[in-house]
Amino acid sequence: MRSLALITLLAIFGCSDANRNSSLPTSTTDEDLMTTPVKDIHSFAEPSQAIMQHLVWQAEVDFDSSLITAKASIRISRDPKAESVILDTKNLIIDSVKTGPPGQESPCEFTLGEPDNLLGSALKISLSPNTEWVHIYYRTTEEAEALQWLSPQQTSGKQQPFLFTQSQAILARTWIPLQDSPGIRFTYDATVKVPEQLLALMSAENPQEKNGLGVYQFKMEQPIPAYLMALAVGDLQFTSLGPRSGVYAEPNLIDKAAYEFDEIEKMISIAEELYGPYGWSRYDLIVLPPSFPFGGMENPRLTFATPTILAGDRSLTSLVAHELAHSWSGNLVTNATWDDFWLNEGFTVYFENRIMEALNGRDYSEMLALLSLQGLRAEVAEMMETNKAGDTHLKLNLKNRNPDDGMTAIAYDKGYFFLRWLEERSGRSVWDRFLVNYFKENEFQSMTTEQFLHYLQKNLIEKQHINIYQDELEEWVYQSGLPDNLPEPVSTKFELVDAALISWIDNDSLPASDQWSTHEWLHFIRNLPEDLDSNSVKAQDVNYNFTQSGNAEIQAAWFEKAIAYQYQPAYPAMADFLIHVGRRKFLTPLYKALSQTESGKEFALQVYQDARPNYHFVSANSIDAILGVSNTD
Ligand code: BES
Ligand code: ZN
């Protein structure tokens, strides 16, 4: 049924110019499109048989062995005729499985399927006619890809160990047996035992201080998909930032963190004014150790953040706006499969930009939009040259691939520009009203690209009589490259930077840069000519101290240039950066650039020996591929 609906929709979109009208699939097809569950190729779950609804997780975190021992009790909703429920697992040791209401458990049959390198093993649990609960007693292993266990030395305070998880996209199954598909939502309760001197936090209602016992209770009452399961354990302290927000960090970082994120309450209010009430009650942040592989992760009620945004001047807080925006786009309305990833990230970049516009003015947000456009154009050009045109479609096809492959500028920035284009074609007030309803009407549900297009057609294009044609939508969503009618951000601030660059190149005159923000500096560095002589490179560095900048974005952009210029004085600081920072967005371009010359590759391999033990699996996995190192090395 589902594929029929899809084919019909594609057929209509497919007939392009001949059909410049706003016709839609017939009404029976509409119904299917909005209600039939979609198959997720990255999960073994069979939702038509049984779907998990609630998880009770009881766990003990052991830093000596770097393992979690746990019991996962799962309540399911099922077809009465279903003979089994299938959960996703990867690299877990299953000790036993029982069924029956909590307290009345009895052993049951189960099988663990052949492991797949990417997807792990299907845990198939036999059900009796009335079974509603299954209980899995299990342990994690050293191969738990979501988990990173840090020694005290790898933390900021250097006194206590630290553990954090990163479940998105399909790594939740490496620490909890569950249905690891973004289209399946459940609530959860947890009891977690950790060493007494540490605090545990989850993507749930959280404690604000240690209780001396090391046993913490958690509750997440709103249904969430598995990729939002999260846990952090460490020597953590809390500071309140407002009535419903605060920040957790290691004690020696807490003041810096509180300063950096001071605008958070304002951001929440702005976001609510734009797209409706914040639905998760509290919004807290946690600053993780520098090996955290992402800038931020939108774990509900508790955004996980890299310490590399603690720039000391609040200049990198658009990342907080981004993760906060996910509380609507992603966490309330969730991409149904990883092929629809742009629905999470494109919407979030759009929303982030709107928050930053309201907070700092259009001049500011247009700088962000231009940086996004520059990154997008570069990445699209590279993909087109390397035979990856298919990956430039908003709607992806990640069959037999790691969903991580979808984390490109396409989902984020092409997604952003598509939504900005829709805004420009509809007019802002009509568009904003549409989005408020979109979040409200679809909250706590998943969304496919086709369902979104259908919703758009009905609720924006038809209802508001907007002149947007099917073939235009089809080009944005299903075709490669970038449409000609891509919106063009205008940034006078960047025009001034461009002019300063030209006059510096022509007359050696230094730019009047006293008032420049981090974004202007990034634009300046990225646009430095490719063929600078070594004296000019040095002059730049001496003047502006890029190599030693306290701002990780500036350092990362500068190191990329330093590699192109083979500017040796930057290399020791670059090695230090690569060893201590595990944020993949910074690492990938640097290792790639280094790999392009023989001496660079040698340097990279050398540094990587010291750096790899500090990286989380997702970063190590990406850098292994770039350097051609096998992950057993
Ligand atoms: N949800 C993503 C991170 C992610 C995506 C993890 C896919 C695993 C798989 C998060 O919201 C994100 O986009 N982070 C960005 C922030 C940036 C765009 C402001 C990052 O980490 O760089
Ligand atoms: Zn995001």
Side-chain angles (χ1 to χ4, degrees):
M1 284 297 251
R2 162 83 210 158
S3 55
L4 193 72
L6 188 64
I7 291 163
T8 318
L9 193 80
L10 287 175
I12 287 165
F13 279 139
C15 46
S16 214
D17 278 328
N19 201 11
R20 261 192 174 259
N21 61 36
S22 39
S23 66
L24 266 170
T26 62
S27 57
T28 44
T29 328
D30 287 2
E31 183 106 340
D32 288 346
L33 189 63
M34 296 316 273
T35 55
T36 315
V38 273
K39 174 70 194 150
D40 174 5
I41 50 177
H42 293 109
S43 169
F44 292 112
E46 284 183 11
S48 61
Q49 301 291 297
I51 301 183
M52 70 183 288
Q53 291 201 307
H54 184 71
L55 163 72
V56 180
W57 193 59
Q58 290 163 277
E60 183 164 350
V61 175
D62 180 21
F63 282 91
D64 294 329
S65 58
S66 298
L67 298 177
I68 296 176
T69 307
K71 172 185 177 188
S73 296
I74 293 173
R75 197 184 68 233
I76 56 173
S77 142
R78 56 176 288 195
D79 178 337
K81 292 201 239 38
E83 288 172 357
S84 59
V85 54
I86 300 181
L87 305 179
D88 294 296
T89 75
K90 190 176 185 189
N91 302 330
L92 295 178
I93 295 173
I94 309 295
D95 290 319
S96 67
V97 180
K98 298 183 177 169
T99 56
Q104 300 169 41
E105 302 170 15
S106 52
C108 73
E109 303 261 306
F110 69 93
T111 57
L112 200 57
E114 267 305 295
D116 174 277
N117 234 347
L118 184 62
L119 303 179
S121 309
L123 174 61
K124 190 169 179 182
I125 303 171
S126 300
L127 299 176
S128 314
N130 297 320
T131 309
E132 283 186 348
W133 284 89
V134 297
H135 311 269
I136 301 102
Y137 295 77
Y138 72 99
R139 283 166 287 155
T140 60
T141 60
E142 261 179 51
E143 277 79 50
E145 293 163 354
L147 305 181
Q148 190 172 13
W149 301 86
L150 298 170
S151 67
Q153 203 48 39
Q154 291 168 306
T155 66
S156 182
K158 318 244 177 268
Q159 302 299 318
Q160 299 293 343
F162 203 105
L163 165 69
F164 69 82
T165 63
Q166 169 56 44
S167 296
Q168 198 182 10
I170 54 170
L171 303 180
R173 64 190 70 177
T174 71
W175 63 290
I176 310 177
L178 37 58
Q179 291 181 319
D180 196 3
S181 171
I184 299 177
R185 312 178 81 89
F186 54 91
T187 50
Y188 77 87
D189 295 325
T191 307
V192 182
K193 185 168 181 343
V194 300
E196 284 156 25
Q197 68 281 17
L198 303 182
L199 181 66
L201 301 170
M202 292 192 80
S203 48
E205 208 176 304
N206 272 310
Q208 293 186 344
E209 56 188 18
K210 295 174 195 163
N211 60 18
L213 300 171
V215 179
Y216 296 94
Q217 312 280 346
F218 303 91
K219 198 179 242 330
M220 171 43 81
E221 287 175 318
Q222 288 109 322
I224 61 165
Y227 77 90
L228 296 176
M229 288 302 299
L231 170 70
V233 182
D235 182 13
L236 291 160
Q237 203 178 322
F238 175 78
T239 288
S240 173
L241 297 171
R244 53 177 164 170
S245 62
V247 61
Y248 297 86
E250 288 188 60
N252 63 341
L253 284 180
I254 192 77
D255 290 342
K256 199 168 183 209
Y259 175 82
E260 207 77 31
F261 302 139
D262 190 51
E263 288 159 317
I264 186 62
E265 283 288 339
K266 207 165 163 197
M267 280 188 186
I268 303 173
S269 306
I270 289 172
E272 289 191 308
E273 264 166 52
L274 281 167
Y275 300 127
Y278 177 72
W280 304 87
S281 129
R282 286 194 61 85
Y283 180 83
D284 295 316
L285 289 139
I286 174 174
V287 178
L288 293 166
S291 66
F292 185 57
F294 296 105
M297 176 65 213
E298 66 273 26
N299 297 315
R301 297 180 68 122
L302 184 66
T303 284
F304 281 25
T306 169
T308 62
I309 51 169
L310 302 179
D313 59 2
R314 298 179 183 153
S315 64
L316 301 177
T317 46
S318 61
L319 186 133
V320 176
H322 178 97
E323 303 312 334
L324 170 66
H326 271 306
S327 308
W328 288 257
S329 46
N331 298 4
L332 272 189
V333 185
T334 308
N335 53 206
T337 75
W338 299 114
D339 286 346
D340 306 298
F341 183 52
W342 77 274
L343 287 176
N344 272 21
E345 298 301 341
F347 269 79
T348 300
V349 173
Y350 176 82
F351 195 163
E352 165 197 346
N353 197 275
R354 292 293 304 274
I355 294 173
M356 294 316 286
E357 178 181 328
L359 191 69
N360 291 343
R362 179 114 178 151
D363 256 13
Y364 185 92
S365 59
E366 283 296 82
M367 290 197 289
L368 298 181
L370 253 188
L371 289 170
S372 144
L373 180 62
Q374 289 165 0
L376 176 62
R377 286 207 191 280
E379 202 160 333
V380 167
E382 192 192 318
M383 285 171 156
M384 299 302 267
E385 275 164 24
T386 52
N387 271 331
K388 291 187 183 147
D391 288 351
T392 67
H393 300 191
L394 278 181
K395 170 82 181 191
L396 295 169
N397 181 1
L398 295 167
K399 196 169 167 56
N400 297 324
R401 292 171 67 185
N402 191 331
D404 244 30
D405 290 358
M407 204 189 176
T408 70
I410 298 303
Y412 286 80
D413 303 300
K414 186 175 176 180
Y416 163 72
F417 280 104
F418 176 39
L419 298 169
R420 178 168 167 153
W421 176 82
L422 288 170
E423 176 207 314
E424 289 176 7
R425 288 287 281 264
S426 320
R428 187 171 266 194
S429 62
V430 168
W431 172 245
D432 279 351
R433 247 179 291 133
F434 164 78
L435 282 185
V436 170
N437 291 333
Y438 172 71
F439 290 126
K440 184 74 213 142
E441 286 174 21
N442 299 293
E443 64 180 4
F444 301 110
Q445 291 176 53
S446 59
M447 182 68 58
T448 64
T449 300
E450 290 66 35
Q451 287 165 340
F452 168 70
L453 291 172
H454 175 74
Y455 187 90
L456 181 81
Q457 185 69 41
K458 284 272 179 238
N459 296 284
L460 183 83
I461 300 176
E462 287 179 9
K463 207 179 263 172
Q464 304 296 337
H465 311 288
I466 309 291
N467 280 334
I468 289 177
Y469 302 105
Q470 297 287 1
D471 57 333
E472 294 179 292
L473 295 174
E474 193 258 355
E475 183 183 11
W476 270 105
V477 177
Y478 296 107
Q479 287 181 20
S480 44
L482 297 173
D484 293 336
N485 56 13
L486 195 77
E488 281 285 342
V490 181
S491 169
T492 17
K493 284 183 187 286
F494 279 3
E495 282 163 16
L496 293 173
V497 175
D498 293 336
L501 257 170
I502 290 170
S503 80
W504 172 68
I505 293 163
D506 291 349
N507 327 317
D508 230 11
S509 63
L510 289 175
S513 56
D514 296 357
Q515 301 297 317
W516 281 5
S517 67
T518 298
H519 308 291
E520 283 149 301
W521 281 115
L522 287 175
H523 185 67
F524 180 80
I525 295 170
R526 287 186 190 155
N527 288 289
L528 284 170
E530 289 298 317
D531 53 354
L532 276 191
D533 60 75
S534 59
N535 282 339
S536 314
V537 178
K538 197 157 186 185
Q540 286 303 318
D541 196 25
V542 169
N543 280 327
Y544 304 118
N545 206 10
F546 295 139
T547 299
Q548 301 298 339
S549 166
N551 186 309
E553 290 278 353
I554 290 183
Q555 270 183 308
W558 173 244
F559 292 147
E560 226 181 300
K561 288 287 172 182
I563 296 167
Y565 302 141
Q566 309 220 4
Y567 174 61
Q568 295 301 326
Y571 278 50
M574 177 160 55
D576 192 61
F577 185 91
L578 290 171
I579 289 168
H580 292 105
V581 178
R583 186 172 169 190
R584 187 172 65 175
K585 181 186 101 165
F586 293 150
L587 303 181
T588 312
L590 294 176
Y591 281 107
K592 267 194 189 158
L594 285 167
S595 298
Q596 267 155 30
T597 64
E598 212 172 299
S599 61
K601 177 105 190 238
E602 208 174 295
F603 172 82
L605 286 168
Q606 188 74 35
V607 171
Y608 195 45
Q609 279 189 2
D610 294 335
R612 193 177 189 281
N614 291 336
Y615 294 169
H616 182 277
F617 167 81
V618 297
S619 289
N621 198 36
S622 303
I623 308 305
D624 284 349
I626 292 170
L627 296 179
V629 178
S630 95
N631 44 21
T632 49
D633 286 357

Coordinates of all heavy atoms in Angstrom, one line a residue, residues 40 78 137 149 163 227 307 405 448 512 617:
D40 N 11.6 0.9 8.0 CA 12.9 1.6 8.2 C 14.0 0.5 7.9 O 14.1 -0.5 8.6 CB 12.9 2.0 9.6 CG 14.3 2.6 10.0 OD1 15.2 2.7 9.1 OD2 14.5 2.9 11.2
R78 N 0.8 -4.7 20.6 CA 1.0 -5.8 19.6 C -0.2 -6.2 18.9 O -1.4 -6.0 19.3 CB 1.6 -7.0 20.3 CG 0.6 -7.4 21.5 CD 1.1 -8.6 22.1 NE 1.0 -9.8 21.3 CZ 1.0 -11.0 21.7 NH1 1.3 -11.2 23.0 NH2 0.8 -12.0 20.9
Y137 N 17.8 -9.2 30.3 CA 19.0 -9.0 31.2 C 20.2 -9.1 30.4 O 20.4 -10.1 29.7 CB 19.0 -10.1 32.3 CG 17.8 -10.1 33.2 CD1 16.5 -10.6 32.7 CD2 17.9 -9.7 34.5 CE1 15.4 -10.5 33.6 CE2 16.8 -9.6 35.3 CZ 15.6 -10.0 34.9 OH 14.5 -10.0 35.7
W149 N 34.0 6.0 27.3 CA 34.5 5.9 28.7 C 35.7 6.7 28.8 O 36.7 6.4 28.0 CB 34.7 4.5 29.1 CG 33.6 3.6 29.0 CD1 33.1 2.9 27.9 CD2 32.7 3.2 30.1 NE1 32.0 2.1 28.2 CE2 31.7 2.3 29.6 CE3 32.5 3.6 31.4 CZ2 30.7 1.8 30.3 CZ3 31.5 3.1 32.2 CH2 30.6 2.2 31.6
L163 N 31.6 9.2 31.6 CA 30.9 8.4 30.5 C 29.9 9.2 29.9 O 29.1 9.9 30.5 CB 30.3 7.2 31.2 CG 29.3 6.4 30.2 CD1 30.0 5.7 29.1 CD2 28.5 5.4 31.0
Y227 N 16.9 7.1 19.2 CA 18.1 7.8 19.0 C 18.3 9.0 20.0 O 19.3 9.6 20.1 CB 18.3 8.3 17.5 CG 17.4 9.5 17.2 CD1 17.9 10.8 17.3 CD2 16.2 9.4 16.6 CE1 17.2 11.9 16.9 CE2 15.4 10.5 16.3 CZ 15.9 11.8 16.4 OH 15.2 12.9 16.0
P307 N 32.7 21.3 24.5 CA 33.3 22.5 25.2 C 33.9 23.5 24.2 O 34.2 24.6 24.6 CB 34.3 21.9 26.1 CG 34.7 20.6 25.5 CD 33.4 20.1 24.8
D405 N 26.2 8.7 6.8 CA 26.6 9.2 5.4 C 25.6 10.4 5.0 O 26.0 11.2 4.2 CB 26.5 8.2 4.3 CG 27.6 7.1 4.5 OD1 28.4 7.3 5.4 OD2 27.6 6.2 3.7
T448 N 7.5 11.4 7.0 CA 8.3 11.1 5.8 C 8.3 12.4 4.9 O 7.5 13.3 5.1 CB 7.8 10.0 5.0 OG1 6.5 10.4 4.4 CG2 7.6 8.7 5.8
A512 N 40.3 47.1 9.2 CA 39.8 47.7 10.5 C 38.9 46.7 11.1 O 37.7 46.7 10.9 CB 39.1 49.0 10.2
F617 N 33.9 6.6 19.1 CA 33.8 5.7 17.9 C 33.4 6.4 16.7 O 34.0 6.2 15.6 CB 32.8 4.6 18.2 CG 32.4 3.8 17.0 CD1 33.2 2.8 16.5 CD2 31.2 4.1 16.3 CE1 32.8 2.1 15.3 CE2 30.8 3.4 15.2 CZ 31.6 2.4 14.7

